[in-house]
Amino acid sequence: KALELFLAQGSQRLAGGVRAHVAELHLRMGNLDDALREAEEATRALEQVPHTRALALAVLALVHKERGDFPAALARSEEAIAILASSTGVDTGEGLIRLARAEILVAVKDPSAAEWIRDARARLLARAETITDERSRESFIAKVPEHARLMELALQHGQAGA
């Protein structure tokens, strides 16, 4: 319903954001064709909104990785990271953007994967430190799926826990 409403209102930014999240849900459920379709639609809709498009690109990169299209996965994750590093930054999804890059580097056995994971983990922990309530901070690390997965990936690559 939200997607239909945003499309009817002509809000490509909001419709693109919804599509990115729908694509992520399809990906988590293993519906790769639906995830691919929604992620591609999201990246097109968000062409002029880079700070939101980065999340859609990260989801699209993960879909390509799951489909075994590693060149496309690398290319889309590089685009997302470039936006993250740019002056515009991102509105949402920094954890997923960094996780997507890490998982793809691991999948293609890139020698920089461990360093990338170490940096992503350090950035996540630095963001967590800004949360003053201890329980909320722990939840931010352990309950947000992409954050928990990044910590798991760090442990798999010999990096200490939180």
Side-chain angles (χ1 to χ4, degrees):
K1 287 271 188 199
L3 179 59
E4 293 170 9
L5 176 65
F6 295 144
L7 289 172
Q9 293 174 346
S11 177
Q12 290 299 312
R13 182 182 67 81
L14 294 175
V18 168
R19 285 190 186 278
H21 290 292
V22 169
E24 184 181 358
L25 291 173
H26 281 301
L27 177 62
R28 289 178 189 214
M29 294 186 309
N31 303 331
L32 298 183
D33 291 341
D34 293 334
L36 180 63
R37 184 187 68 251
E38 292 295 340
E40 286 176 338
E41 285 291 328
T43 58
R44 277 192 289 277
L46 297 167
E47 188 72 41
Q48 301 302 315
V49 192
H51 56 276
T52 305
R53 187 171 190 256
L55 173 65
L57 286 165
V59 174
L60 183 56
L62 288 169
V63 172
H64 284 308
K65 178 187 78 87
E66 290 302 312
R67 294 171 65 95
D69 186 350
F70 298 113
L74 281 166
R76 297 301 76 78
S77 71
E78 286 170 9
E79 286 182 69
I81 290 299
I83 294 169
L84 181 62
S86 75
S87 61
T88 61
V90 297
D91 281 346
T92 185
E94 180 178 347
L96 186 66
I97 293 165
R98 292 187 187 284
L99 174 63
R101 185 66 178 168
E103 287 196 342
I104 292 162
L105 291 175
V106 168
V108 299
K109 297 176 177 35
D110 187 295
S112 69
E115 181 181 335
W116 182 263
I117 293 166
R118 188 173 17 266
D119 180 64
R121 178 184 170 276
R123 288 175 184 268
L124 173 62
L125 293 176
R127 286 177 55 212
E129 283 302 313
T130 66
I131 302 171
T132 55
D133 179 68
E134 185 176 344
R135 214 163 59 183
S136 296
R137 183 173 49 251
E138 289 172 3
S139 180
F140 178 77
I141 294 169
K143 302 286 186 202
V144 175
E146 56 268 26
H147 299 168
R149 174 66 184 130
L150 180 61
M151 296 304 286
E152 178 185 326
L153 204 54
L155 283 173
Q156 290 171 358
H157 287 82
Q159 299 168 25

